[in-house]
Amino acid sequence: MNTAAFAETSPRWSPLRHWLWVWLLGVAVCGPVSAQDANTLDLRLARAKAIRQAVAGVADAVLRVELVGVTQSAGSEVAEDAPTVAVAIDDQRHFIASSMVVRGNPTSILLVTPDGRRVVAEVVARDHSRQFVLLRANEDTGADPVEFVEVQPTVGQSVIAVGRHSDGQSPAVSTGILSATGRNWGLALQTDARVSSGFYGGPLIDLYGRLLGIIVPMVPDGGAEDETGWYDAGIAFAIPTGDIQQRLPQLIEGKDVHPGLAGIVARDSDPYVMSTEVAAVRPRSPAARADLQAGDQITAINGVPVSSQREVKQLLGPLDAGTDVSLRVKRGDDTLEKSLQLTQSIPPLVPQQIGITAEAIIKDKQAAAPAAEIVVTGVMKGTPADGQFAVGDRIHSLADSDLSELPSLRRQVFTADPDVPLKWSVVRGEETLQLAFKTQPLGKLPEDALPESLRYAPLDEAGWEVTDFDLPDISNPAAILAPPAKAADEPETAAAASRLGLIILLADPGEADLKKLLAAWAQPAQALGVIVCVVGPADEARWTPEELDVPQRIAAVIRQSHPVEPLMQALGGVAQGPGSSLAMASAILRPGTFAGLSVSPAVRPPAIRLRENDPAAPLQLWLPSAAPGDEEPGWAGSLEQLGYPVLRGQADPKSVLTWVRSLARI
Amino acid sequence: MMQCLPCCLRVLAIAWLVGLAAAPTSTYAYEADLGVLVRKSQRAAVKVYGAGGGGLVAYQSGFLVSPDGHIATAWSHVLDVEPVVVLDDGRRLNATIVGFEPRLELAVLKIDAGDLPFLELAESLPELADPILAVSNLFGIASGGEPASVMHGSVSAISRLDARRGTFKTPYTGTVLILDLVANNPGAAGGAVVSVDGRAIGMLGKELRDASAGVWLNYALPSSALREAIGNIIAGRTVVASDTESPPLPRDRSHHPESLGLDLIPDVLEHTPAFVDRVRADSPAARADVRPDDLILLVGNTRIGSQQGLRETLRRIDRRDRVVLTLQRGAQIVSVTLQP
């Protein structure tokens, strides 16, 4: 056999022959030829030639990237400063590289030029969804830029990944087919070419040498711990050329591309459920601004019909922050068209207050459909409402829409944007006033926490007593400090000032005398009008998860015999042990009953899945200051991030009970 | 004997090409059918069984490079004992280690058999993207007379090796074939990489990580780099396996590490490598600039697999004679002469 003939007679490659081979390959793969024929080695050699030709067309655009001064972190197999590649895209010294060049925060990014020089490159901007960055070399590199051509990739077609190997001079090639398009929620092409770090940032081309995309380290949700974890696995991803090209103008201006967020919370975490129902809309999100509502069904996105959460994710996934998107939603029998501009981030909910108390007064009780009117009953000193509202003002509209229900007023103030003044229409006497002022965070108790409207004014002077509290259907021991029970006045009809607050305190296991615990609360409880109920665990050794809703059930029992204001109900712990942990878990996991939670900063937080504070049934925390020198617990910050106001206060009964009554403020 | 079948197939292939597209006809001499090529590769492949333990497998791969039973394989821990070789036809034969080239991590074995199928070694490097077969007994999947495992892929890059094993850089830094094929797995070392013309264009190397990226490499040492070393070993011009045939000299008349001024690392393993721990001042070793952490690969032409082997070899050298050591120092191979 004469192998030397191979090199000698190997014909110079002409474009015509190139096309011929490619055509031949096409016939072999797609045409009516047998598998035996497709295996012939002639075809494999022809294919190798076509690949070399295609690679030669882009290889001069591909430079090795070296990183200097990377902070090493253990964990991933691929080194943080692994050499990768970059592709020259224009004659302005711009290169596309993968996110590998920024993930270790290198002090310097070097491009290795074809003649072996090292040229410093700077990051111009990066695409945070697609794992690529735009670099600009500080001097000429001699790289020959790739051409952007419009190619529609077809699944199954041959593809070639091009990178550089360790010496930086020889191209590295891996071949395969296009496995899929639109992967990772519409972001990437997938190929079975074996790709490791030397290919990240490199071009994925077809057999004609046309650029299909740029290879990036990526794994789908839950795929691997590190985005490089699937190197050489035959599962590799590339960002389509068109998607890169489309973003170049923005990137060249130095503006990063971020994934666009809508703020829609899906009903079901399973993306295959055939439902597009919106479970919640994150406050201050584009969805909230567009007035999407829980319960809406999304039927189309940018005109493309959708019927499952998976389709919604697939269509929204590739959209950047700043992109406009049109949604068609079904609300009841109505079909609405909504337009959203996606944002980069949705600020966490920071609950707001204006510092008033208010009542909804039915204007004409005899009317067929009695209309309510919201009347300001108190204005707290030093709050935004101070000097704006006056007691007796009737609020007719907020943010240009009519207002007649207290919960709606509460929710709108609670979720207000702190940077945007709220606009009010108020009737004072005969005069209609237009007011506009900003809110303040709810996490701060006004100096004057108890205006006249929140102070307790009992109808009679009945003495308060501490008694054992026997509970039907509940085996927990309990003691209560309360005025004598009376035939229930409906709380709504009791005069506002005579309504009571309520705090339920969970004792730690082993607390023998619950009544004794109430002694310190007796005087302030009666003075402030807050019922205090101490509850122990059913099993004297421990609190159990089955007791999570015991506090809510006890509160319901107390409300039957006492005029408790629903907004003035709080839950807390006696000490800082398991009782406090259970109180925390119960208040967060069973929202709706308690508006306040009072626990020691030393409490061990329960292992529960936290969710964002629900503006319809909000919860706020009273966190007595930690002992001097102690740090504030980390969980307090986590809760604040989720929209739970955390009020730093005192642990003494008077302070706690004052806060309980102040829960009714708006 | 491999010639006639491919010839007729080639004619067919040419006819097919002409008939279909009037394409330029092929003039190369190669098997026109992948199946033939696969069988040819497998028939020359051998399974090598030897020493293992400590998390290392006790087997690797090799391939026949002559009809007289010369086998190219990787120089590794597996060859710490005289290996047993299993041929494609199922024959199980004892092999002797003819010699090795530490820089290439290449060893040549010899079995006592003749008229064997073998692979010619290519003289030149393949081209980028050339199709290849890799034939080896990776993971020991093929057992007994089962044919070795064949994988198909292509040449991903032709590059210089910059790799490490553990934290040590490899001594070989020459040209390697990077393979577009996940070929280098336990047991694959020593396997053949075969081009479509039926020649061995390389030998699969031992598992290595890329020195800068940390990723596992898929690579082969090119035949163009192996040819000369294999030829030299077969011709007896180079290193041979440790010679334990000749009787040792009396202890007080032979060399031993201490007489040369070498303190080795503690000998705690069955095959503790002969790493120098300390060099005694003003000793033959110190005068020859032997350094701590040097690994002793050879004494004269004798391979040193372990500290035990070093001692046994030195026992056969007269204390009045000089000793030539071949050392691995970092990524370098250094030769020193110790004058007593």
Side-chain angles (χ1 to χ4, degrees), chain B residues 47-53 55-60 76-79 81 83-84 187:
Chain B
K47 304 167 197 117
V48 180
Y49 297 92
L56 299 168
V57 296
Y59 58 87
Q60 62 184 30
S76 77
H77 65 275
V78 173
L79 305 184
V81 297
V84 171

Side-chain angles (χ1 to χ4, degrees), chain A residues 3 36 41-42 173-175, chain B residues 30-31 33 128 152 156 180 197:
Chain A
T3 43
Q36 185 69 29
L41 299 174
D42 289 285
V173 175
S174 182
T175 56
Chain B
Y30 49 65
E31 280 76 7
D33 177 73
L128 195 69
H152 172 262
S156 172
D180 183 10
D197 66 2

Side-chain angles (χ1 to χ4, degrees), chain B:
Chain B
M1 81 183 157
M2 297 302 298
Q3 297 279 355
C4 31
L5 182 61
C7 285
C8 46
L9 279 178
R10 206 180 91 211
V11 173
L12 281 178
I14 292 168
W16 179 76
L17 283 167
V18 171
L20 202 63
T25 55
S26 159
T27 55
Y28 327 128
Y30 49 65
E31 280 76 7
D33 177 73
L34 191 61
V36 175
L37 183 62
V38 165
R39 270 313 289 150
K40 174 174 178 172
S41 308
Q42 284 175 326
R43 291 181 65 203
V46 303
K47 304 167 197 117
V48 180
Y49 297 92
L56 299 168
V57 296
Y59 58 87
Q60 62 184 30
S61 307
F63 60 98
L64 287 153
V65 293
S66 83
D68 309 320
H70 290 100
I71 294 165
T73 187
W75 179 43
S76 77
H77 65 275
V78 173
L79 305 184
D80 284 350
V81 297
E82 294 285 317
V84 171
V85 161
V86 177
L87 303 181
D88 182 66
D89 60 16
R91 272 186 288 171
R92 185 183 171 85
L93 301 166
N94 290 323
T96 52
I97 301 169
V98 182
F100 51 94
E101 167 50 80
R103 201 175 67 89
L104 292 167
E105 299 191 300
L106 161 77
V108 175
L109 312 180
K110 174 80 170 72
I111 49 172
D112 193 11
D115 202 17
L116 294 163
F118 69 99
L119 294 173
E120 276 183 59
L121 293 162
E123 289 166 46
S124 52
L125 290 168
E127 287 190 75
L128 195 69
D130 270 350
I132 51 157
L133 298 181
V135 55
S136 75
N137 189 24
L138 75 169
F139 292 114
I141 295 166
S143 59
E146 282 184 279
S149 299
V150 183
M151 303 171 92
H152 172 262
S154 59
V155 177
S156 172
I158 298 160
S159 177
R160 298 189 78 79
L161 185 65
D162 179 20
R164 62 182 168 84
R165 183 175 297 118
T167 51
F168 292 100
K169 286 250 187 178
T170 53
Y172 181 72
T173 54
T175 300
V176 290
L177 311 177
I178 304 294
L179 308 179
D180 183 10
L181 164 68
V182 181
N184 298 70
N185 271 305
V193 176
V194 182
S195 62
V196 291
D197 66 2
R199 295 184 179 211
I201 53 163
M203 180 183 82
L204 295 175
K206 297 194 277 186
E207 291 168 89
L208 289 180
R209 285 178 184 276
D210 185 276
S212 49
V215 297
W216 290 106
L217 285 172
N218 291 295
Y219 75 104
L221 297 152
S223 294
S224 55
L226 299 173
R227 275 175 68 95
E228 191 186 349
I230 291 174
N232 284 340
I233 295 170
I234 292 175
R237 282 194 292 271
T238 180
V239 181
V240 292
S242 55
D243 167 24
T244 48
E245 300 296 302
S246 58
L249 297 168
R251 208 169 281 277
D252 57 350
R253 281 176 45 206
S254 74
H255 272 298
H256 49 82
E258 293 73 23
S259 72
L260 297 169
L262 296 169
D263 286 338
L264 304 175
I265 61 169
D267 189 3
V268 292
L269 306 171
E270 195 179 343
H271 296 287
T272 310
F275 272 110
V276 176
D277 192 24
R278 235 157 32 95
V279 178
R280 297 180 188 186
D282 201 29
S283 65
R287 285 193 294 277
D289 193 26
V290 178
R291 301 177 194 175
D293 293 337
D294 283 351
L295 173 63
I296 301 171
L297 300 176
L298 305 173
V299 173
N301 282 340
T302 304
R303 174 179 72 106
I304 302 303
S306 64
Q307 295 192 9
Q308 174 71 13
L310 175 66
R311 287 176 204 284
E312 284 173 11
T313 304
L314 291 177
R315 276 294 295 281
R316 290 165 175 82
I317 301 176
D318 191 295
R319 192 173 282 193
R320 292 163 297 184
D321 291 349
R322 59 186 190 160
V323 176
V324 179
L325 296 183
T326 302
L327 308 168
Q328 181 174 345
R329 179 175 297 161
Q332 277 181 301
I333 300 289
V334 186
S335 183
V336 294
T337 303
L338 278 60
Q339 296 284 359

